[in-house]
Amino acid sequence: QIAHTGITDWDLLCQALKDIGYKGTFNFEADYFISLHINSFTDASANGIEVHTAGRSGDSYAFGKCLLNGMLDTTGLKSRGMKQSADLYVLKNATMPAVLLEMGFISNQNDAAFLQQHPDLFAKGIYDGIVDHFDASYITHVNMLLCIIAITAVLMTILIIVGNVFL
């Protein structure tokens, strides 16, 4: 069941969690953390993909760069580049390398349509970036398909939630 809280800003959501007693960091039992987002701006001409990390060096940055390049290669969308966003809650409180992916703009008609019609291309790009970062060319074709299917399912859920909020 999906419940709409009315909160569309990640920092506000994290603050709301803290307000109700959540005291932890994002200490999942994971080696890397990828936060999937769709951007929005008042100027409908804003478009493209960007990746946020807490700093401009280190494993998070290298990982983010691979993910950005993977998505650019598969989608052909404009690169807005790597962004340093040390103040974002999800990045500054992660206990493992963390990236925040902005996969186009829901406020841009072309980006929104592309994301809705081709979530699999974003998923494939994320997968390709992971493979590139870890030099994991040994991953089997079956594992690749399962990974892309899982990422696509997450993206479709995001689109449903974002569509209900913004459209």
Side-chain angles (χ1 to χ4, degrees), residues 63 65-75 120-137 139 144 147-148 151:
F63 185 52
K65 189 76 172 152
C66 289
L67 296 175
L68 176 64
N69 289 336
M71 288 187 295
L72 294 174
D73 289 347
T74 58
T75 66
D120 57 312
L121 294 180
F122 289 90
K124 175 76 165 77
I126 293 167
Y127 173 82
D128 289 348
I130 292 168
V131 169
D132 183 42
H133 182 71
F134 293 104
D135 191 26
S137 56
I139 294 176
M144 177 187 77
C147 183
I148 291 171
I151 295 170

Side-chain angles (χ1 to χ4, degrees), residues 120 123-124 142-156:
D120 57 312
K124 175 76 165 77
V142 172
N143 286 341
M144 177 187 77
L145 289 175
L146 291 174
C147 183
I148 291 171
I149 290 167
I151 295 170
T152 302
V154 169
L155 291 175
M156 293 304 294

Side-chain angles (χ1 to χ4, degrees), residues 10-11 13-15 17-18 22-35 88-98:
W10 182 256
D11 288 323
L13 176 59
C14 292
Q15 185 58 50
L17 289 172
K18 288 171 72 176
Y22 177 78
K23 300 195 185 317
T25 60
F26 289 93
N27 186 14
F28 306 107
E29 290 187 22
D31 297 316
Y32 286 78
F33 181 79
I34 302 172
S35 185
L88 292 176
Y89 188 92
V90 68
L91 298 178
K92 73 181 176 184
N93 290 293
T95 58
M96 72 287 294

Side-chain angles (χ1 to χ4, degrees), residues 15-138:
Q15 185 58 50
L17 289 172
K18 288 171 72 176
D19 290 347
I20 62 169
Y22 177 78
K23 300 195 185 317
T25 60
F26 289 93
N27 186 14
F28 306 107
E29 290 187 22
D31 297 316
Y32 286 78
F33 181 79
I34 302 172
S35 185
L36 304 176
H37 294 254
I38 302 170
N39 221 334
S40 182
F41 193 61
T42 54
D43 180 354
S45 67
N47 66 85
I49 300 169
E50 62 192 38
V51 175
H52 295 259
T53 60
R56 294 207 173 270
S57 63
D59 202 23
S60 290
Y61 187 86
F63 185 52
K65 189 76 172 152
C66 289
L67 296 175
L68 176 64
N69 289 336
M71 288 187 295
L72 294 174
D73 289 347
T74 58
T75 66
L77 292 178
K78 172 186 165 185
S79 175
R80 295 177 53 89
M82 297 292 296
K83 310 288 184 183
Q84 181 177 355
S85 303
D87 58 329
L88 292 176
Y89 188 92
V90 68
L91 298 178
K92 73 181 176 184
N93 290 293
T95 58
M96 72 287 294
V99 297
L100 185 145
L101 310 180
E102 292 283 7
M103 301 172 293
F105 282 76
I106 193 74
S107 53
N108 179 281
Q109 187 175 25
N110 293 332
D111 278 8
F114 189 85
L115 185 57
Q116 189 170 27
Q117 294 166 5
H118 303 288
D120 57 312
L121 294 180
F122 289 90
K124 175 76 165 77
I126 293 167
Y127 173 82
D128 289 348
I130 292 168
V131 169
D132 183 42
H133 182 71
F134 293 104
D135 191 26
S137 56
Y138 59 86

